[in-house]
Amino acid sequence: MDVSLISRLASFRRLRLFVFTVLVAVDAGDTSVSVPRPGTVNIGVLFTMDSVIGRAAKPALQAATDDVNSDSSILKGVKLNLILHDTNCSGFLGTVEALQLMENDVVAVIGPQSSGIAHVISHVVNELHVPLLSFAATDPALSSLQYTYFLRTTPSDYFQMYAIADMVDYYGWREVIAIYVDDDYGRNGISVLGDALAKKRAKISYNAPFTPGATRSDINDLLVGVSQMESRVYVVHVNPDSGLTVFSVAEVLGMMTSSYVWIATDWLPSLIDSMEPVDTDTMNLIQGVIALRHHTPDSTGKRNFMARWNTLKYKARFGHSGFNSYALYAYDSVWLAAHALEVFFNEGGIVSFSSDLRLHDTNGSTLHLASLRVFDGGAQFLQTLNRINFVGLSGQIQFDPDRNLVHPAFDVVNFVGTGVRTVGFWSNYSHLSVVAPEILYTKPPNTSTSNQKLHDVIWPGEITKRPRGWVFPNNGKTLQIAVPNRVSYKAFVAEDKSPPGVKGYCIDVFEAAVNLLSYPVPRSYVLFGDGKRNPVYNDLVNQVAQNNYDAAVGDVTIITNRTRIVDFTQPYMESGLVVVVPVKEEKSSPWAFLQPFTWQMWGVTGAFFLFVGAVVWILEHRLNHEFRGTPRQQLMTICWFSFSTMFFSHSTSISQHHLFNFSTLRFIIFEPELYRGF
């Protein structure tokens, strides 16, 4: 037999044995599948480089890529290649840059920075099955199920707004004014704030939006209108690159003094932290402001990274870039992708792309839509990302079922002097506390009201007393209080010639209650009724229900039909038969018993006495000898009998029949209402 033939047969047997061995290993349950790994994996990065967040993110992204590529324990033989695209603070250019980025067969995109661009790009990555890892797009609406491939690696503004609502409730305020940039980031964040405040029985009394890129004149006009309203608690939710203009204009308008409260979201601490050094003029603008800053636990890795920062920023050619929390989230985003790729490859994932038949260039288009290809393993890679769990520089990187980071937390900071004071913390675990969240995680959650605590705050105007939170506006409407114009029982309420124009017990109670309030309540009393007869109280209640009057003060009885259309205060008088009389001293008189009857009443009573005596005489004088004699004697008997029957029983004998008739007659004459039921 030919030697070459024998050699080929032997090779075939070895190949068949190898295939059999692999099949046996797989059949035995070996889940570790060895597949060829690519030499390079492309990851896209999309953000505005020349911005407060971008200048902190770029050095961190490059440092994370270098650390991953130099770490032999992860992605062995695979090199991460970051492809950076600049969105230039433009929604349109950002969308174009994102489409161009997708032409490079990226397995994931880190970014974008803008929530508005994230809304648009999320539809693109859903189609191409490319996960989107955003370290700065905090719009709560991006967590909806519509954006399947969007994964946020920073806390959502949903939690930040609930933290602000807890602070508003903690300090006892009930109304705030929201000042925000009118884009997806601003609108959706403030919408969540409104829901959070409603759960605390508070509300946003006025929305004050301004367009992205608004001029100083536009912001001035906005704040002038805001300053004339009653609320003095302002929540500022804007972009860090232009947010200081709000405080600069507010200072010129005198709105950074005592009685004002300014609460800023995380944009302000991010801006201040990135300044090297902090500008004194900037700090003077924000004296007394309280704000929320991302809470990142202290760790050795975080300290080492911050020690490297000066070297990293000069390496990234951003010598003027300052460190803020977004640098940590950007760094962890790269490591999240690296950990997920390691698991993806170990589970047999393959980096491959295929064309989408629905994406093709027509009619001579130069958009190159056909170059956008679908990541075949995108769904598997997304599932891997959702179950990754590791500790990064910003804390624990793990996602809940809603694709939000677990344990969202913020520092509550107060800008005072030339520095920043931490007055407490907020976490989704225990809400407001003076204890760091990582310590509270080891204890049972406690969100009771008594457990909510913050250190003392120095407010605008360098005061430590909690501001009242509102004043009566300069253009406010005076409350119109309706008062029944009574003509009887004027002790309750009545017209008065001296200010405030009404008087009475009800007015005294109302004035005493108003005087207990810590703020002024301008009001004017309006008499309801013509003053000739008591007004119809149902009409008065209906006038209040129809907003013709703001309220009514008076002796208005609380009945079921009225409670269906208006709200009543708690009764300040017990119901029942009562008499309200003026308290005054009078000399006692032995003839006081005569005062209740008028002379007409005495005359009627005497006439009835004589009438009763005459009736008894007619009935008795023929049968009873006591009623006989001379006319003078009979007249005296009639008068005496009539008078004596009211005080004692007679010794005079009267027939039983006539006695019954007499008693019945007296009953009918003096008590007719009782006789109707006799």
Side-chain angles (χ1 to χ4, degrees), residues 504-526:
Y505 178 70
C506 297
I507 301 300
D508 294 340
V509 173
F510 179 72
E511 289 289 332
V514 171
N515 292 334
L516 293 176
L517 299 177
S518 57
Y519 45 83
V521 181
R523 58 200 177 277
S524 62
Y525 295 101
V526 180

Short mmCIF file of all heavy atoms in Angstrom, two decimals, residues 504-526:
data_model
loop_
_atom_site.label_atom_id
_atom_site.label_comp_id
_atom_site.label_asym_id
_atom_site.label_seq_id
_atom_site.Cartn_x
_atom_site.Cartn_y
_atom_site.Cartn_z
N GLY A 504 -67.88 90.23 66.20
CA GLY A 504 -68.63 89.09 66.70
C GLY A 504 -67.71 87.96 67.13
O GLY A 504 -66.49 87.98 66.92
N TYR A 505 -68.32 86.96 67.74
CA TYR A 505 -67.56 85.83 68.27
C TYR A 505 -66.84 85.07 67.16
O TYR A 505 -65.67 84.70 67.29
CB TYR A 505 -68.53 84.89 69.01
CG TYR A 505 -67.87 83.66 69.57
CD1 TYR A 505 -66.98 83.74 70.64
CD2 TYR A 505 -68.14 82.41 69.03
CE1 TYR A 505 -66.38 82.61 71.15
CE2 TYR A 505 -67.54 81.27 69.53
CZ TYR A 505 -66.65 81.38 70.60
OH TYR A 505 -66.05 80.26 71.09
N CYS A 506 -67.50 84.83 66.02
CA CYS A 506 -66.89 84.09 64.91
C CYS A 506 -65.69 84.85 64.36
O CYS A 506 -64.66 84.24 64.02
CB CYS A 506 -67.91 83.85 63.80
SG CYS A 506 -69.30 82.81 64.30
N ILE A 507 -65.80 86.17 64.27
CA ILE A 507 -64.70 86.98 63.75
C ILE A 507 -63.52 86.92 64.72
O ILE A 507 -62.36 86.83 64.31
CB ILE A 507 -65.16 88.43 63.53
CG1 ILE A 507 -66.33 88.46 62.53
CG2 ILE A 507 -64.01 89.28 63.02
CD1 ILE A 507 -66.00 87.89 61.18
N ASP A 508 -63.80 86.96 66.02
CA ASP A 508 -62.72 86.90 67.01
C ASP A 508 -61.95 85.59 66.91
O ASP A 508 -60.72 85.57 67.00
CB ASP A 508 -63.30 87.08 68.42
CG ASP A 508 -63.89 88.46 68.63
OD1 ASP A 508 -63.51 89.37 67.87
OD2 ASP A 508 -64.72 88.63 69.54
N VAL A 509 -62.67 84.48 66.73
CA VAL A 509 -62.01 83.18 66.61
C VAL A 509 -61.15 83.14 65.34
O VAL A 509 -60.00 82.68 65.36
CB VAL A 509 -63.06 82.04 66.60
CG1 VAL A 509 -62.40 80.71 66.29
CG2 VAL A 509 -63.77 81.98 67.93
N PHE A 510 -61.69 83.63 64.23
CA PHE A 510 -60.95 83.61 62.97
C PHE A 510 -59.70 84.48 63.05
O PHE A 510 -58.62 84.08 62.61
CB PHE A 510 -61.86 84.09 61.84
CG PHE A 510 -61.19 84.13 60.50
CD1 PHE A 510 -60.89 82.96 59.82
CD2 PHE A 510 -60.86 85.34 59.91
CE1 PHE A 510 -60.27 83.00 58.58
CE2 PHE A 510 -60.25 85.39 58.68
CZ PHE A 510 -59.95 84.21 58.01
N GLU A 511 -59.81 85.66 63.60
CA GLU A 511 -58.66 86.55 63.72
C GLU A 511 -57.59 85.96 64.62
O GLU A 511 -56.39 86.07 64.35
CB GLU A 511 -59.11 87.92 64.26
CG GLU A 511 -59.91 88.75 63.28
CD GLU A 511 -59.03 89.28 62.15
OE1 GLU A 511 -57.83 89.48 62.38
OE2 GLU A 511 -59.55 89.48 61.04
N ALA A 512 -58.01 85.29 65.68
CA ALA A 512 -57.03 84.66 66.57
C ALA A 512 -56.27 83.55 65.86
O ALA A 512 -55.06 83.37 66.04
CB ALA A 512 -57.74 84.11 67.81
N ALA A 513 -56.98 82.78 65.02
CA ALA A 513 -56.32 81.70 64.27
C ALA A 513 -55.34 82.26 63.24
O ALA A 513 -54.22 81.75 63.09
CB ALA A 513 -57.37 80.83 63.58
N VAL A 514 -55.73 83.33 62.56
CA VAL A 514 -54.84 83.93 61.56
C VAL A 514 -53.59 84.51 62.22
O VAL A 514 -52.48 84.42 61.68
CB VAL A 514 -55.60 85.01 60.76
CG1 VAL A 514 -54.64 85.80 59.88
CG2 VAL A 514 -56.68 84.38 59.91
N ASN A 515 -53.73 85.07 63.39
CA ASN A 515 -52.59 85.67 64.09
C ASN A 515 -51.57 84.63 64.55
O ASN A 515 -50.42 84.98 64.83
CB ASN A 515 -53.07 86.49 65.29
CG ASN A 515 -53.84 87.72 64.86
OD1 ASN A 515 -53.64 88.24 63.77
ND2 ASN A 515 -54.73 88.20 65.72
N LEU A 516 -51.98 83.37 64.60
CA LEU A 516 -51.04 82.31 64.98
C LEU A 516 -50.14 81.88 63.83
O LEU A 516 -49.14 81.20 64.04
CB LEU A 516 -51.81 81.09 65.51
CG LEU A 516 -52.56 81.28 66.83
CD1 LEU A 516 -53.35 80.02 67.17
CD2 LEU A 516 -51.57 81.59 67.96
N LEU A 517 -50.50 82.26 62.60
CA LEU A 517 -49.70 81.88 61.44
C LEU A 517 -48.40 82.67 61.42
O LEU A 517 -48.33 83.80 61.90
CB LEU A 517 -50.48 82.14 60.15
CG LEU A 517 -51.79 81.37 59.98
CD1 LEU A 517 -52.49 81.79 58.70
CD2 LEU A 517 -51.53 79.87 59.96
N SER A 518 -47.37 82.04 60.85
CA SER A 518 -46.05 82.66 60.81
C SER A 518 -45.85 83.52 59.57
O SER A 518 -44.74 83.94 59.28
CB SER A 518 -44.97 81.57 60.86
OG SER A 518 -45.13 80.66 59.79
N TYR A 519 -46.91 83.76 58.82
CA TYR A 519 -46.81 84.57 57.61
C TYR A 519 -48.06 85.43 57.49
O TYR A 519 -49.11 85.11 58.03
CB TYR A 519 -46.66 83.68 56.37
CG TYR A 519 -47.60 82.51 56.35
CD1 TYR A 519 -48.91 82.63 55.89
CD2 TYR A 519 -47.17 81.26 56.79
CE1 TYR A 519 -49.77 81.56 55.88
CE2 TYR A 519 -48.03 80.18 56.78
CZ TYR A 519 -49.32 80.32 56.33
OH TYR A 519 -50.18 79.25 56.32
N PRO A 520 -47.97 86.54 56.79
CA PRO A 520 -49.13 87.43 56.67
C PRO A 520 -50.17 86.86 55.71
O PRO A 520 -49.84 86.19 54.73
CB PRO A 520 -48.52 88.73 56.12
CG PRO A 520 -47.31 88.27 55.37
CD PRO A 520 -46.78 87.09 56.13
N VAL A 521 -51.43 87.16 56.01
CA VAL A 521 -52.54 86.74 55.15
C VAL A 521 -53.42 87.97 54.89
O VAL A 521 -54.36 88.23 55.64
CB VAL A 521 -53.36 85.60 55.79
CG1 VAL A 521 -54.49 85.18 54.85
CG2 VAL A 521 -52.48 84.42 56.13
N PRO A 522 -53.12 88.73 53.87
CA PRO A 522 -53.99 89.89 53.54
C PRO A 522 -55.40 89.44 53.22
O PRO A 522 -55.61 88.49 52.46
CB PRO A 522 -53.30 90.50 52.31
CG PRO A 522 -51.88 90.03 52.40
CD PRO A 522 -51.94 88.67 53.00
N ARG A 523 -56.39 90.11 53.80
CA ARG A 523 -57.77 89.67 53.66
C ARG A 523 -58.69 90.88 53.79
O ARG A 523 -58.33 91.89 54.39
CB ARG A 523 -58.12 88.64 54.73
CG ARG A 523 -57.92 89.16 56.14
CD ARG A 523 -57.78 88.05 57.17
NE ARG A 523 -57.53 88.55 58.51
CZ ARG A 523 -56.31 88.89 58.94
NH1 ARG A 523 -55.27 88.80 58.15
NH2 ARG A 523 -56.14 89.31 60.17
N SER A 524 -59.85 90.75 53.23
CA SER A 524 -60.89 91.77 53.37
C SER A 524 -62.22 91.06 53.57
O SER A 524 -62.48 90.02 52.95
CB SER A 524 -60.94 92.68 52.13
OG SER A 524 -61.27 91.93 50.98
N TYR A 525 -63.06 91.62 54.43
CA TYR A 525 -64.36 91.03 54.75
C TYR A 525 -65.43 91.67 53.87
O TYR A 525 -65.49 92.89 53.71
CB TYR A 525 -64.69 91.23 56.22
CG TYR A 525 -63.76 90.51 57.15
CD1 TYR A 525 -62.73 91.18 57.80
CD2 TYR A 525 -63.90 89.14 57.39
CE1 TYR A 525 -61.86 90.53 58.66
CE2 TYR A 525 -63.04 88.47 58.24
CZ TYR A 525 -62.03 89.17 58.87
OH TYR A 525 -61.18 88.50 59.72
N VAL A 526 -66.29 90.80 53.32
CA VAL A 526 -67.38 91.24 52.46
C VAL A 526 -68.69 90.78 53.07
O VAL A 526 -68.89 89.57 53.29
CB VAL A 526 -67.23 90.68 51.02
CG1 VAL A 526 -68.37 91.17 50.14
CG2 VAL A 526 -65.89 91.08 50.43
#
